[in-house]
Amino acid sequence: MATAATPSVAGPAARDRLRRAGALAPVLAVIALLLVPGGGGAQGGTGGTGTVADAASGLLVLICLVRVVRGGARPLTRTAAVVLGLPVLGICLAAITSNDPASSLPGVARYVQVFVLVPAAVLLTVRDRRDFAVVAWTLVGLALLQGAVGVAQYLTGTGASYQGEDIRAVGTFGATDVMGMATVVSYGLVVVTGIALGSGPGRARTAALVCAGLLFLPLVLSFSRGAWIATVLACALQLVLAGPLRAVRVGLAAGALGVVLVGGLGIGSDLVEQRVASITRVTAAPDQSVTDRYTMWAAAGEMWRAEPLTGVGLKGFPHYRDAHASVALSSGSDTAGAGAAFQRQPLLSPHNMYLLVLSEQGLLGLLALVGSWSALLVGALRGCRAGSGPGSVSGADCALVATGLLVWQLVDFFYADIGGPSTVLMSVVLGLAAWWSLVGARRA
């Protein structure tokens, strides 16, 4: 009798796992395909990249649309529809009022894809906390693989060029998208920090701590100042939300790990020290990259003052840049290494998402986009009060992960904007956070 009962118990469980994997497959495919090296450069602003991951995100949206039509029920609550759809208002208004509406159309498609369609598709695909955990751990897996490639690039001198040496860890993203690996590894580090600080199973927390140690080094070797700052602030907030005593313990452990990896082992210590010091050198002997960034920020501000409500139009920053930028702006940034020849990459965006939106979509567009993100952040923070609830995945874990990812992205947007292959991963992350903020927290 016992032998006969085994299939009846295992059968439904196995079928449930298969159904769950099949439902999540489109989302997981978008993440996994970011391991495929991209052929295009990292275009700033609304530039597209045409990668296989972008194609997979389009397929994800299409599959989700078919499921919604077949289901026949209203897929989103009114609140979720308003929060996710709010950016469309600023996007469409900026395109209509643009001096060249035809050239703005690709920007409309890109913004709607990145900030509306893909996040909504992820929200509708994730059904419960277990699905959330599967997607989150898949992000960690991608981060570990990209980080391993990055560390190997540093050790073998096959990375992107940095201060005359091919040592910058960029993973499979190449020298034209030096922020790609840093972004992926940062996402992974924020995810495992949230899991380690949560109240889930002990084995999951132990695995998360191990992964955090493995991801720390490639993040350091990315030499990405913006990613460092965003990661420190996001993880610090997670520590505070998890409780002061745990924050102190984990903070001391993280500090000791940093001393061992960078100071004790001497891995990139001199270069890292110089890079950290350059963060504060804004007026006192800044490097050319800092000068270029602040010059483009000033140019974006000038564009906004010229068109304060609706901006100069989507994809308008490159066209109006030279008319508003000072002579301090260089002609572009040098890229080389990681299998690519030397090339001069033009500066097509201000490398600040808020200023890019302000200059191209005006105050109305910025308020719509930031309003949507703020609503998601408020929902995520409210969800931090959720208890563990039933199931193997803690609501506290989801809350810390979602809040950390949102804060990381909102801070990083002060130093980066959309563009490059990793942009589609940002859409998945926003969708994951949106599920918790708008759906998951209410069920916990």
Side-chain angles (χ1 to χ4, degrees), residues 236-248:
L237 178 61
Q238 289 175 313
L239 289 169
V240 171
L241 293 174
L245 293 179
R246 184 172 292 182
V248 171

Side-chain angles (χ1 to χ4, degrees), residues 156-171:
T156 60
T158 56
S161 178
Y162 179 75
Q163 294 190 1
E165 300 180 74
D166 293 343
I167 57 172
R168 188 169 191 175
V170 292

Side-chain angles (χ1 to χ4, degrees), residues 210-307:
V210 173
C211 291
L214 294 174
L215 292 173
F216 178 82
L217 185 57
L219 178 60
V220 170
L221 297 179
S222 70
F223 299 109
S224 174
R225 293 169 292 199
W228 291 349
I229 294 171
T231 303
V232 168
L233 293 179
C235 292
L237 178 61
Q238 289 175 313
L239 289 169
V240 171
L241 293 174
L245 293 179
R246 184 172 292 182
V248 171
R249 289 197 300 266
V250 176
L252 291 174
L257 179 64
V259 170
V260 171
L261 289 178
V262 179
L265 300 180
I267 300 178
S269 56
D270 292 339
L271 295 175
V272 171
E273 183 180 353
Q274 295 173 15
R275 194 66 166 170
V276 171
S278 69
I279 295 175
T280 60
R281 288 200 299 266
V282 178
T283 57
D287 58 36
Q288 186 59 47
S289 66
V290 173
T291 300
D292 286 339
R293 179 160 300 186
Y294 282 93
T295 301
M296 289 189 294
W297 287 8
E302 290 294 331
M303 293 180 202
W304 169 66
R305 280 185 280 273
E307 299 286 346

Side-chain angles (χ1 to χ4, degrees), residues 119-212:
V122 173
L123 182 151
L124 293 172
T125 302
V126 174
R127 296 173 298 175
D128 52 31
R129 294 201 300 263
R130 284 195 294 169
D131 283 357
F132 183 101
V134 170
V135 177
W137 276 109
T138 304
L139 286 173
V140 175
L142 174 66
L144 289 170
L145 291 173
Q146 289 286 359
V149 173
V151 172
Q153 289 170 333
Y154 175 85
L155 295 176
T156 60
T158 56
S161 178
Y162 179 75
Q163 294 190 1
E165 300 180 74
D166 293 343
I167 57 172
R168 188 169 191 175
V170 292
T172 64
F173 293 98
T176 55
D177 186 16
V178 294
M179 280 292 296
M181 189 213 73
T183 298
V184 172
V185 171
S186 297
Y187 286 155
L189 192 54
V190 170
V191 168
V192 294
T193 300
I195 294 173
L197 294 171
S199 56
R203 286 181 297 179
R205 296 201 304 271
T206 301
L209 286 172
V210 173
C211 291

